[in-house]
Amino acid sequence: MHEMAVTEDILRIVKDHAERGGAKKVTDIHLVIGELSSFIDDSIQFYFDLLTPNTIAEGASLHFERIRIRFRCRKCGQEFEPDGQDWHCPSCQALGGDVVAGKEFYVESIEITS
Amino acid sequence: MSDNQAISNRVPVVERLLTANEEVAADNRVQFRSHDVKVFNIMASPGAGKTTLLMATIAALAGHRLGVIEGDVASQIDADKIATTGTPVVQINTGGACHLDAPMIRHAVQALPLEDLDLVLVENVGNLICPVSFDLGQDFNVGLISVPEGHDKPYKYPAIFEAVDLVVVTKSDLLPYLDFEVDTFRELVHGLNPTIPIIVVSAKTGEGIGDWIAWLEDKLGRG
Ligand SMILES: Nc1nc2c(ncn2[C@@H]2O[C@H](COP(=O)(O)OP(=O)(O)OP(=O)(O)O)[C@@H](O)[C@H]2O)c(=O)[nH]1
Ligand SMILES: [Mg+2]
Ligand SMILES: [Zn+2]
């Protein structure tokens, strides 16, 4: 896993936007993480707490919005969330599809006090 | 509202993570292009047969000048193996990191004679998850999966099968002893990635090595 690299990057982005927003403090950070992008788990909060003392983001809480993998059927166009070990389209039974969601990997927003 | 009362508000950000890596990867790509070197990023589980396939490739790929970058968490074992063939090789030890990243590659290529090479094969750290998220500046991604790992891997690690340009199934000599269903595996991979070629090889018997070499030569041929 590469939690530290990701955490450092979150902090870089958060600091940048907090300063531009005239923040005194960052209280909450909202992340959008697709199931396909990287297996980032809640332990990031632990790394974040190690990195943030005496920064504008000290004490901030990380919130994860997880996006499940979503296929668009190549045969009939139906969008569906494949479940576990079944990748068949619920409408036409074709297997798999183009991935239309699940690759997200970004900082969505921050909550600041100013 | 008094002066010391804090005002809270939500600031939209929408900024992608790990883009710094992508910037370095883009620089690497420019450097490789300028030397006319094609770079292949080889990703697989620990022990899937990456180094063994590299050794077979070195033996079989005539007429192209090849260099190798070995990525491992620790040790020099794989680079030492490659070096016995006289092939230029650099070992990267990630010191715990589960993947290679573009800055590591930028540093490693300084030790390779790029101007004298046609291709560089990069053996990524053994891991089916993390390497996929880090562009190195490669031209092609290759995913290896060994027969003992099971044909259900696309269900569990869809990202890698979606990201690669070629899948190589290794250790095919073990197929008679295991329940790996090649057809089911093909179906699943093509469910994710319908145009991707899948080559079945064995470094033990030599099966499919010719197809792998032909695939490489095809990619090298295209300016
Ligand atoms: N039966 C059989 N064994 C193989 C084949 N290819 C590799 N192996 C064996 O699989 C083991 C691991 O092979 P490596 O080439 O070291 O695998 P790797 O992916 O480079 O491993 P790491 O770098 O440690 O992640 C070795 O014992 C190889 O001899 C093959 O085609 N058939
Ligand atoms: Mg190896
Ligand atoms: Zn359908």
Side-chain angles (χ1 to χ4, degrees), chain A residues 10-56:
Chain A
I10 293 170
L11 185 58
R12 177 187 64 80
I13 291 169
V14 165
K15 271 183 175 163
D16 180 34
H17 285 264
E19 278 159 22
R20 277 196 262 158
K24 282 210 188 77
K25 229 167 166 21
V26 178
T27 57
D28 298 89
I29 299 164
H30 297 270
L31 301 160
V32 178
I33 310 287
E35 203 182 348
L36 277 176
S37 62
S38 232
F39 285 58
I40 298 305
D41 62 45
D42 299 0
S43 71
I44 284 214
Q45 181 77 56
F46 168 81
Y47 292 94
F48 193 80
D49 292 340
L50 287 179
L51 284 179
T52 46
N54 307 314
T55 72
I56 198 165

Side-chain angles (χ1 to χ4, degrees), chain B residues 103-176:
Chain B
M104 293 177 198
I105 295 296
R106 178 172 61 188
H107 185 249
V109 294
Q110 291 171 7
L112 281 181
L114 282 188
E115 57 286 353
D116 299 328
L117 298 178
D118 302 314
L119 72 157
V120 172
L121 300 176
V122 180
E123 178 177 338
N124 216 311
V125 178
N127 183 324
L128 281 181
I129 301 171
C130 306
V132 187
S133 305
F134 293 83
D135 187 3
L136 306 179
Q138 73 280 347
D139 296 283
F140 300 99
N141 283 315
V142 178
L144 265 54
I145 171 131
S146 63
V147 162
E149 292 170 69
H151 58 249
D152 61 351
K153 285 298 158 296
Y155 284 130
K156 297 183 181 169
Y157 306 99
I160 185 165
F161 294 100
E162 219 254 335
V164 294
D165 301 292
L166 170 74
V167 172
V168 180
V169 177
T170 61
K171 311 192 188 182
S172 68
D173 55 287
L174 299 178
L175 280 170

Side-chain angles (χ1 to χ4, degrees), chain A residues 4-109:
Chain A
M4 206 57 175
V6 173
T7 311
E8 282 167 356
D9 212 34
I10 293 170
L11 185 58
R12 177 187 64 80
I13 291 169
V14 165
K15 271 183 175 163
D16 180 34
H17 285 264
E19 278 159 22
R20 277 196 262 158
K24 282 210 188 77
K25 229 167 166 21
V26 178
T27 57
D28 298 89
I29 299 164
H30 297 270
L31 301 160
V32 178
I33 310 287
E35 203 182 348
L36 277 176
S37 62
S38 232
F39 285 58
I40 298 305
D41 62 45
D42 299 0
S43 71
I44 284 214
Q45 181 77 56
F46 168 81
Y47 292 94
F48 193 80
D49 292 340
L50 287 179
L51 284 179
T52 46
N54 307 314
T55 72
I56 198 165
E58 179 167 6
S61 305
L62 298 174
H63 306 275
F64 298 88
E65 186 191 341
R66 298 192 179 274
I67 310 285
R68 293 210 46 202
I69 177 170
R70 212 174 158 72
F71 285 137
R72 184 188 294 118
C73 177
R74 293 187 197 97
K75 219 168 168 187
C76 77
Q78 166 88 31
E79 288 194 11
F80 64 100
E81 279 182 10
D83 110 66
Q85 301 229 350
D86 187 5
W87 282 1
H88 291 95
C89 168
S91 299
C92 77
Q93 297 304 309
L95 185 71
D98 294 322
V99 174
V100 291
K103 290 182 172 179
E104 301 77 4
F105 195 47
Y106 60 93
V107 181
E108 192 263 334
S109 63

Side-chain angles (χ1 to χ4, degrees), chain A residues 9 17 37 107-110 112, chain B residues 10-11 13-15 18 133:
Chain A
D9 212 34
H17 285 264
S37 62
V107 181
E108 192 263 334
S109 63
I110 56 177
I112 60 173
Chain B
R10 189 155 170 164
V11 179
V13 175
V14 195
E15 197 169 317
L18 301 178
S133 305

